[in-house]
């Protein structure tokens, strides 16, 4: 695998929202959730939430899942309104798949540092240098970037998508350099050229933290999201035996839940954003989980609160729309992924 361009600084491209503390009592939460469910019925709305959402938002949702399952759920829904409790690129994906439905994102500050790391202009310039390469875009990209891509993928199916591309074709893989490394290792391909983007949250999940947890809990299974900054080092550590090779896994958020359900292990180190802990504790009360980085919080995801969902359902705003020409081209890349998934 090779890298595309020198490492730029992406931090200047986005503003991280302040994380608001919500001090609702249990009774207030219950009343707001009831109001949301009543509004969903009134509006014929479905509420989709990502695993990184606040616990009280996950608890009121119709479905809680990873990016792939949320796209599949959006593609199948009969609802007139989709309330996306996630970030902007996820709502855009739903709007591309369902142009006749109203897709709401309760807070427009819900961006994504990874999606911000590549613009359509940058992708065009990169493609011009390697015009014969196949472009695989992670779902964490804008609709305009997807429109310039051949395939879309998520962390749950990136290796599958790459395997579907003839072995002799070079691949421009964007924008996550850590996911690109995992996919190159999983597929054994040397012709993947990685864009140097990263998620500011997952980048902070470091190999030393993984090794430290293992020293404290020698029997754990190590579950790491492929966006983590530690992936290359952890893959090497799994090879040299510093981390247990048969107990180190690179998984999407949904993949983690599935893996834990199938595993006989009782203790897990979890390398991803902390919102997932809510589902883990809820679904597996008898198992124990240790976050690899206890500070891994996505401020973009936490902008969505119960109050903002209520306001969004009452006013049917903010609505996410994608211009038809971009949507039509982006849909090709998303559809290719969904067909493979
Ligand atoms: P998943 O598709 O694994 O849920 O990941 C989405 C994401 O934004 C990770 O940061
Ligand atoms: Fe984007 Fe990272 Fe937040 Fe996921 S955790 S939505 S990749 S900023």
């Amino acid at each position: 695998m090779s890298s595309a361009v020198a490492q730029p600084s992406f931090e200047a491209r986005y503003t991280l929202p302040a994380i608001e503390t919500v001090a609702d009592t249990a009774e207030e939460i219950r009343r707001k959730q009831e109001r949301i469910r009543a509004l969903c019925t009134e509006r014929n709305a479905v509420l989709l939430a990502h695993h990184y959402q606040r616990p009280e938002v996950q608890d009121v949702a119709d479905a809680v899942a990873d990016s792939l399952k949320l796209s599949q759920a959006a593609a199948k829904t009969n609802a007139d309104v989709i309330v996306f409790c996630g970030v902007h690129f996820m709502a855009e994906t739903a709007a591309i798949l369902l142009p006749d439905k109203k897709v709401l994102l309760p807070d427009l500050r819900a961006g994504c540092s990874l999606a911000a790391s590549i613009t359509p202009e940058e992708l065009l310039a990169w493609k011009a240098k390697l015009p014969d390469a196949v472009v695989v875009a992670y779902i964490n990209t804008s609709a305009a970037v997807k429109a310039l891509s051949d395939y879309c993928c998520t962390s749950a199916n990136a290796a599958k998508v790459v395997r579907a591309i003839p072995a002799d074709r070079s691949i421009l893989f964007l924008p996550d350099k850590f996911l690109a490394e995992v996919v190159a290792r999983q597929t054994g391909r040397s012709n993947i050229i990685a864009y140097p983007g990263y998620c500011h949250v997952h980048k902070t999940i470091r190999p030393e933290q993984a090794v430290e947890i293992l020293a404290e809990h020698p029997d754990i299974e190590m579950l790491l999201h492929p966006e983590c900054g530690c992936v290359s080092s952890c893959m090497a550590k799994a090879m040299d035996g510093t981390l247990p090779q048969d107990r180190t896994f690179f998984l999407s958020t949904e993949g983690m839940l599935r893996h834990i359900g199938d595993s006989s292990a009782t203790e897990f180190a979890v390398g991803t954003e902390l919102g997932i802990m809510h589902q883990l504790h809820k679904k597996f009360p008898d198992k124990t989980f240790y976050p690899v980085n206890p500070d891994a919080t996505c401020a973009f995801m936490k902008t969505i609160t119960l109050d903002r969902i209520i306001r969004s359902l009452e006013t049917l705003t903010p609505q996410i729309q994608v211009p038809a020409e971009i949507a039509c081209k982006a849909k090709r890349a998303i559809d290719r992924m969904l067909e493979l998934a």
Side-chain angles (χ1 to χ4, degrees):
M1 197 190 78
S2 54
S3 194
V5 266
Q7 178 74 71
S9 167
F10 297 116
E11 278 72 13
R13 296 183 175 198
Y14 54 85
T15 307
L16 274 184
I19 301 181
E20 193 182 315
T21 307
V22 178
D24 288 344
T25 62
E27 178 54 22
E28 282 163 339
I29 291 175
R30 196 190 55 76
R31 264 194 283 111
K32 288 178 186 179
Q33 288 172 330
E34 270 178 20
R35 173 83 182 124
I36 289 170
R37 292 315 318 166
L39 281 163
C40 281
T41 308
E42 206 177 291
R43 301 292 201 187
N44 189 24
V46 67
L47 211 130
L48 305 179
H50 188 265
H51 288 131
Y52 301 161
Q53 288 291 294
R54 292 172 185 262
E56 64 275 20
V57 172
Q58 296 188 31
D59 288 345
V60 75
D62 291 291
V64 185
D66 68 355
S67 309
L68 177 63
K69 270 185 83 174
L70 290 176
S71 318
Q72 289 168 325
K76 278 194 280 198
T77 186
N78 291 321
D80 297 320
V81 176
I82 300 162
V83 186
F84 227 109
C85 300
V87 292
H88 193 270
F89 74 82
M90 297 178 177
E92 259 192 349
T93 304
I96 291 165
L97 291 170
L98 298 159
D100 299 332
K101 311 230 177 211
K102 227 180 239 308
V103 178
L104 306 176
L105 179 66
D107 193 319
L108 287 177
R109 292 174 305 158
C112 169
S113 56
L114 184 51
S117 67
I118 185 160
T119 63
E121 294 73 28
E122 285 165 334
L123 176 51
L124 278 173
W126 195 23
K127 280 172 60 150
K129 286 187 199 151
L130 289 147
D132 296 329
V134 178
V135 178
V136 178
Y138 193 30
I139 196 152
N140 298 41
T141 45
S142 67
V145 164
K146 288 185 182 80
L148 296 169
S149 304
D150 298 302
Y151 287 86
C152 196
C153 74
T154 73
S155 55
N157 61 16
K160 198 176 202 174
V161 168
V162 163
R163 284 195 189 99
I165 297 166
D168 59 342
R169 299 287 304 278
S170 293
I171 294 175
L172 301 184
F173 192 96
L174 63 98
D176 192 299
K177 62 178 180 173
F178 298 114
L179 176 62
E181 284 185 46
V182 173
V183 171
R185 179 75 66 109
Q186 286 172 339
T187 60
R189 279 178 90 128
S190 56
N191 55 358
I192 295 179
I193 305 152
Y195 189 81
Y198 52 82
C199 153
H200 76 287
V201 179
H202 285 85
K203 193 180 86 156
T204 65
I205 297 176
R206 308 296 314 149
E208 314 80 72
Q209 296 169 317
V211 173
E212 213 171 287
I213 291 195
L214 183 69
E216 284 163 20
H217 309 280
D219 296 328
I220 52 160
E221 288 197 344
M222 182 72 61
L223 312 184
L224 300 168
H225 195 281
E227 284 174 23
C228 289
C230 63
V231 290
S232 38
S233 181
C234 285
M235 284 190 293
K237 287 185 190 308
M239 296 302 282
D240 76 14
T242 314
L243 290 177
Q245 197 173 5
D246 58 340
R247 286 188 278 124
T248 302
F249 303 91
F250 299 93
L251 298 162
S252 73
T253 55
E254 194 70 31
M256 288 183 185
L257 281 145
R258 208 174 312 116
H259 177 91
I260 293 163
D262 292 343
S263 170
S264 56
T266 55
E267 291 189 306
F268 301 85
V270 180
T272 193
E273 208 269 355
L274 297 183
I276 197 170
M277 291 296 170
H278 182 61
Q279 285 303 310
L280 297 185
H281 290 133
K282 210 169 150 175
K283 292 213 165 105
F284 309 106
D286 299 334
K287 302 203 177 198
T288 309
F289 304 101
Y290 305 98
V292 179
N293 176 354
D295 298 320
T297 300
C298 176
F300 297 114
M301 285 279 181
K302 309 305 180 206
T303 57
I304 313 290
T305 60
L306 295 180
D307 286 327
R308 292 204 180 89
I309 299 171
I310 292 174
R311 199 178 54 208
S312 192
L313 275 161
E314 281 173 348
T315 60
L316 294 180
T317 62
Q319 190 182 345
I320 302 301
Q321 284 171 308
V322 180
E325 198 190 331
I326 291 178
C328 176
K329 289 183 186 153
K331 190 169 182 301
R332 280 190 321 216
I334 299 169
D335 281 346
R336 281 193 189 127
M337 169 188 83
L338 292 177
E339 278 156 27
L340 287 167

